[in-house]
Amino acid sequence: IFDRSPHIRSRAPQREGSRRRWLLQRFFFDGPARLGLATAVLLATSRLASGHAHAELLRLDRAPLHTSGRYIVDNVGERVKWACVNWYGAYSTTHVVGGLEVQPMEVIVDRIVDLGFNCVRMTYSTQGKVYNPPIDDEYLAANPHLKGKRFLEIFDLTVKMLTDKGLMVIINNHNSKSGWCCHYTQDEGLWYVPGYNESTWIESLVFFAQRYRNNSMVVGFDLRNEVHDYKDTHLTWGDGDPATDWALAATKSGNAVLEVNPDALIIVMAMCFGMDLRRMKDAPIRLMYDNRVIYEAHNYLEYQMFDNVSKVIAPWNVIRNWALLFIVVCLIVLCLLRSVWINAGKPRPPAGALLISIGLWVAFFAAIAVVATWLSAQFGNSFCSVSVETDVMPWLTG
């Protein structure tokens, strides 16, 4: 499942930052001429966005869904392919999906269907669920019948509109404190933050699972958006530490959702902003019901430094071998230069001076390698210690 979400551009104020997110851009409002999905959302492809293909809508009588091996299947075992769009807004300080100040909700939903998508990821903040704030009228200008309503009322109406149009819905706990996310300097990479502990997070998921359990088109619950390390808290998988173990937290919250909504799919975010699934592959979680777990990956190439090096340049063990070969070549070149020097009738360099020269060159290149590795480890540890442990440390230790 991929994120890199194109978003609906809303007139609602957003927090400043280089990674602003919008849902479906303004082509919802300005017509096909502005159509331009930048990247894939979940399993949506550019073919869907350009209108060359449409994902099949789920028939109501084929819900609920479950997993079978690597696939999502309906209740008769037919494969279901998600082509989902992420609807920005309800997790932000506006507490409402983006675009309702520009177009009627039904127009936006119809546009999602017309573009060929078959599901929508509906995001919310724990704060929004806890306080259920009223929505400012300015964010509802094109939907006057929604004015005066609160977060939960409009969230319900949005979910109903989507599912009535045949779209599957995934409920996502995006963040705890309402607002923009996500950056490695934010504590939102954890599922608990000051003011909203783990229990409050789980209660919010259970609340929505119970609220929509009679709507079979609400097919899944995405437990948390983009988990990652925060300062000295380095996430783990399966070590039993309640402060760091994402597998433990996902199991607890997933089972809590299934207790009230046994038919739900449980979507578990990969570690490191959703970029590293390797721990899940090695030790998948087990929930109270089988065939319910889906693992989610977000594709942020700008942060996949370790992975990109191994893909674009060479595997890390090959790079290490290159470095060792380079040292050997340097030694051979020095020996050849010494031979040429002597054959030219020049005075023979003292053995001690030659050894010192070789040692200095080796130390120089070794220092460069150590510094580069240390810098990589420091950068990686700021948000993704598991990749450092997997990709960087073996480079040094073999």
Side-chain angles (χ1 to χ4, degrees):
I1 301 176
F2 299 95
D3 188 50
R4 293 300 286 166
S5 317
H7 301 296
I8 289 180
R9 186 177 297 275
S10 168
R11 292 177 185 165
Q14 309 301 329
R15 173 174 170 172
E16 294 296 326
S18 61
R19 293 177 63 203
R20 290 183 178 179
R21 298 182 163 208
W22 313 101
L23 178 61
L24 285 187
Q25 301 191 7
R26 286 202 68 148
F27 60 74
F28 263 145
F29 318 123
D30 297 341
R34 293 184 62 98
L35 182 60
L37 289 180
T39 47
V41 186
L42 300 180
L43 293 182
T45 67
S46 58
R47 289 183 64 209
L48 290 175
S50 61
H52 296 160
H54 280 235
E56 185 177 351
L57 297 177
L58 179 68
R59 285 170 42 185
L60 186 61
D61 62 347
R62 294 292 185 91
L65 307 179
H66 62 279
T67 63
S68 178
R70 59 180 291 193
Y71 299 120
I72 302 169
V73 297
D74 60 24
N75 59 20
V76 296
E78 296 269 342
R79 185 180 177 187
V80 175
K81 293 183 180 181
W82 280 349
C84 305
V85 65
N86 186 80
W87 198 339
Y88 164 87
Y91 70 82
S92 72
T93 54
T94 68
H95 297 109
V96 66
V97 290
L100 299 187
E101 77 281 20
V102 182
Q103 286 282 6
M105 181 188 294
E106 187 169 10
V107 171
I108 297 175
V109 173
D110 287 339
R111 185 68 168 139
I112 293 173
V113 176
D114 291 342
L115 286 169
F117 297 100
N118 66 3
C119 72
V120 175
R121 185 180 185 236
M122 284 288 292
T123 60
Y124 77 93
S125 69
T126 309
Q127 179 180 343
K129 180 268 170 186
V130 170
Y131 290 100
N132 192 25
I135 307 304
D136 291 345
D137 288 351
E138 64 178 300
Y139 308 133
L140 304 169
N143 294 266
H145 62 290
L146 298 180
K147 291 182 178 180
K149 296 187 183 298
R150 293 179 174 269
F151 159 72
L152 284 174
E153 294 176 275
I154 298 180
F155 199 90
D156 285 344
L157 290 171
T158 308
V159 170
K160 185 177 186 304
M161 176 74 71
L162 291 167
T163 57
D164 284 351
K165 297 286 186 176
L167 292 162
M168 294 172 278
V169 169
I170 298 167
I171 305 297
N172 163 245
N173 178 257
H174 210 71
N175 47 358
S176 297
K177 303 181 294 289
S178 300
W180 179 88
C181 88
C182 304
H183 194 264
Y184 73 91
T185 58
Q186 290 181 293
D187 56 5
E188 294 291 349
L190 309 176
W191 51 95
Y192 57 90
V193 301
Y196 303 96
N197 59 22
E198 181 183 81
S199 296
T200 307
W201 165 63
I202 294 175
E203 287 167 5
S204 75
L205 289 165
V206 171
F207 172 83
F208 283 107
Q210 206 160 20
R211 195 174 186 86
Y212 300 129
R213 65 183 173 185
N214 293 323
N215 186 342
S216 59
M217 295 298 285
V218 178
V219 294
F221 292 83
D222 186 352
L223 302 177
R224 185 70 174 184
N225 186 62
E226 295 191 357
V227 295
H228 60 83
D229 297 354
Y230 174 66
K231 293 185 176 179
D232 294 329
T233 303
H234 299 290
L235 297 192
T236 58
W237 182 264
D239 72 348
D241 184 344
T244 63
D245 189 350
W246 175 227
L248 177 63
T251 301
K252 288 170 62 178
S253 57
N255 281 332
V257 167
L258 290 175
E259 282 183 2
V260 300
N261 193 338
D263 292 328
L265 291 172
I266 303 301
I267 303 165
V268 180
M269 181 66 61
M271 303 177 76
C272 303
F273 285 98
M275 295 186 297
D276 198 325
L277 284 164
R278 287 172 291 185
R279 302 300 170 94
M280 288 77 169
K281 178 184 177 183
D282 295 338
I285 63 172
R286 295 296 299 272
L287 299 182
M288 60 192 301
Y289 297 112
D290 292 334
N291 303 317
R292 295 292 188 277
V293 179
I294 295 172
Y295 295 102
E296 178 178 2
H298 288 190
N299 190 20
Y300 290 109
L301 293 178
E302 62 268 33
Y303 286 117
Q304 293 179 1
M305 181 183 69
F306 311 119
D307 187 53
N308 284 338
V309 168
S310 64
K311 286 180 178 178
V312 177
I313 301 176
W316 283 99
N317 62 330
V318 174
I319 293 174
R320 179 180 58 188
N321 293 338
W322 284 357
L324 293 174
L325 178 62
F326 180 73
I327 292 172
V328 171
V329 170
C330 287
L331 291 173
I332 294 173
V333 169
L334 285 173
C335 291
L336 290 174
L337 289 174
R338 177 181 178 276
S339 178
V340 171
W341 180 271
I342 293 172
N343 291 336
K346 303 293 184 180
R348 184 186 298 271
L354 188 62
L355 290 174
I356 290 173
S357 177
I358 293 172
L360 288 174
W361 278 107
V362 171
F364 173 73
F365 288 110
I368 291 176
V370 169
V371 170
T373 304
W374 181 82
L375 290 174
S376 297
Q378 292 298 111
F379 172 70
N381 272 325
S382 65
F383 68 93
C384 187
S385 58
V386 294
S387 279
V388 172
E389 294 169 6
T390 305
D391 300 318
V392 179
M393 298 313 296
W395 190 86
L396 290 176
T397 63

